[in-house]
Amino acid sequence: MTEHVPAGSGPAGPVPGGGFPSVRPRRLRTTPAMRRMVAEHRLHPAELILPVFVRAGIDEPVPVSSMPGVVQHTRETLKKAAAEAVRAGVGGIMIFGVPEERDKDAVGSAGTDPDGILQLALRDVRGEVGDDLVVMSDLCLDEFTDHGHCGVLDAQGRVDNDVTLERYAEMAVVQAEAGSHVLGPSGMMDGQIGHVRRALDEAGHQDVSLFAYTAKYTSAFYGPFREAVASSLKGDRKTYQQDPANSRDAQRELSLDLAEGADMVMVKPGLPYLDILRDFAERADVPVGVYQISGEYAMVEAASQNGWIDRDQAIMETLTSFKRAGANLILTYWATEFAGKL
Ligand code: PBG
């Protein structure tokens, strides 16, 4: 953007007293009506996506202690949460399945069992909301493996990329058959988008979309999620998730996911990676999403419980920062609540 600056004067300084007392940006901040009118970015409920957890073998919802206000749902309460999201005008729901501990194994079999918790929940939710809400599912093995990694391990205990791709392909078809509209491959295996796309097409699921977790960084902010999905992970995910020190890597992931046929792309986490989000918004020719993850949620809730920040204002500020950076879609645990406040 070019700014009109009178010749020989340099940029307009702080006013008044900066040489241009008639140039007053504060005029546009004078009243709520004025601020509302000139606001460049607004949130709409339809661009919010609610991530939810559904757990096998429980009769009552189980609170996630590190995410005050978030629960592991039973199949019944999940249906209610989905119906509530529809009423609030939320755009989509992203479902994570939490199997019973005894159903976890080395290859994450529960993730491809047509009667596994995620598949049952997808059927329940589609039965409840039909096409009124975009129903999405996490496509990853970490919730279902007894070692907690996002893929299958080789003899040395390393995550085997190509063997894992085969498991993702199976998962994709099973989730599509259970009624998922959109699959979210989140395991950061190379080639996962192209591989899953081919498997879906071969099985006749050309209409099922892929929302690629394109830039997914190794992050301390996933902490509360690991409680939410009762993760069995002992080590870390540094050999497959991105290093926070890098941004070219994210550009490369974006090129690959677009070439492989991603219908939507995502940056995750949100707040610490707004620069990456902006890059994607400028480059991608598909909708760009951002995932405001568990630790970002916990951080705001914890500070506001202590009376250190104003909760609602802080939440709105973070959501608005994603819009300003160029996000079209926002995954947030506050989706239903805030859809009602916009
Ligand atoms: C992997 C997955 C994770 C999250 C979403 N999908 C966890 C991880 O990579 O460790 C994190 C979401 C959050 O923290 O809110 N299935």
Side-chain angles (χ1 to χ4, degrees):
M1 217 169 59
T2 52
E3 221 179 325
H4 177 74
V5 178
S9 60
V15 284
F20 301 98
S22 61
V23 179
R24 290 179 183 263
R26 286 185 54 194
R27 276 186 203 115
L28 299 185
R29 302 173 197 147
T30 44
T31 66
M34 180 65 88
R35 293 194 291 274
R36 178 167 166 266
M37 186 186 79
V38 302
E40 293 170 47
H41 300 284
R42 292 171 221 282
L43 291 152
H44 192 281
E47 64 203 356
L48 302 181
I49 298 165
L50 177 70
V52 288
F53 307 104
V54 57
R55 179 168 159 189
I58 55 170
D59 300 322
E60 293 293 325
V62 177
V64 179
S65 64
S66 51
M67 300 176 74
V70 172
V71 299
Q72 295 174 325
H73 283 288
T74 68
R75 288 175 59 189
E76 275 313 305
T77 65
L78 175 64
K79 285 196 277 184
K80 294 204 183 92
E84 208 189 324
V86 173
R87 282 195 298 277
V90 165
I93 190 167
M94 172 68 83
I95 309 177
F96 293 89
V98 185
E100 290 195 61
E101 208 52 44
R102 61 159 192 258
D103 290 332
K104 293 184 180 181
D105 62 22
V107 296
S109 302
T112 43
D113 178 350
D115 294 321
I117 183 63
L118 183 50
Q119 283 65 252
L120 294 174
L122 282 166
R123 288 198 186 86
D124 290 341
V125 170
R126 280 301 305 282
E128 184 74 24
V129 304
D131 287 333
D132 293 345
L133 188 65
V134 179
V135 177
M136 312 188 182
S137 45
D138 184 55
L139 201 171
C140 195
L141 285 171
D142 64 315
E143 293 94 358
F144 306 102
T145 53
D146 53 13
H147 45 71
H149 275 293
C150 294
V152 178
L153 306 183
D154 67 13
Q156 284 80 46
R158 298 171 304 200
V159 175
D160 186 323
N161 194 86
D162 297 6
V163 173
T164 301
L165 291 183
E166 295 310 319
R167 294 289 297 136
Y168 288 177
E170 290 172 55
M171 271 188 107
V173 173
V174 172
Q175 292 182 2
E177 272 159 15
S180 191
H181 292 118
V182 177
L183 311 184
S186 65
M188 293 304 280
M189 294 302 121
D190 293 334
Q192 62 185 10
I193 295 301
H195 204 81
V196 163
R197 182 71 269 162
R198 196 171 326 114
L200 288 170
D201 291 351
E202 281 170 11
H205 295 294
Q206 286 85 355
D207 289 344
V208 171
S209 303
L210 294 180
F211 194 172
Y213 284 63
T214 296
K216 182 169 177 185
Y217 284 89
T218 299
S219 176
F221 293 99
Y222 298 138
F225 176 93
R226 309 253 162 106
E227 180 197 344
V229 300
S231 171
S232 306
L233 186 68
K234 300 260 162 26
D236 60 54
R237 307 198 197 289
K238 290 183 182 168
T239 67
Y240 43 106
Q241 295 181 344
Q242 293 166 245
D243 186 331
N246 295 331
S247 56
R248 287 190 203 285
D249 194 16
Q251 297 301 322
R252 195 171 185 213
E253 292 282 2
L254 178 62
S255 301
L256 289 167
D257 281 359
L258 291 174
E260 291 174 32
D263 299 288
M264 297 174 269
V265 294
M266 190 197 299
V267 173
K268 177 183 181 182
L271 225 42
Y273 299 95
L274 290 178
D275 56 329
I276 308 295
L277 178 58
R278 166 54 66 95
D279 287 345
F280 278 27
E282 283 171 3
R283 261 191 70 201
D285 56 2
V286 297
V288 174
V290 61
Y291 196 144
Q292 181 175 52
I293 64 163
S294 57
E296 299 178 64
Y297 176 94
M299 196 158 58
V300 171
E301 292 290 350
S304 61
Q305 275 186 6
N306 275 294
W308 294 338
I309 57 173
D310 180 302
R311 176 180 181 274
D312 286 14
Q313 194 186 336
I315 294 169
M316 276 306 289
E317 192 174 332
T318 60
L319 296 174
T320 303
S321 78
F322 300 138
K323 289 287 290 191
R324 216 178 52 239
N328 306 114
L329 299 165
I330 303 170
L331 288 101
T332 173
Y333 297 96
W334 291 301
T336 303
E337 182 192 343
F338 271 70
K341 295 186 181 181
L342 299 176

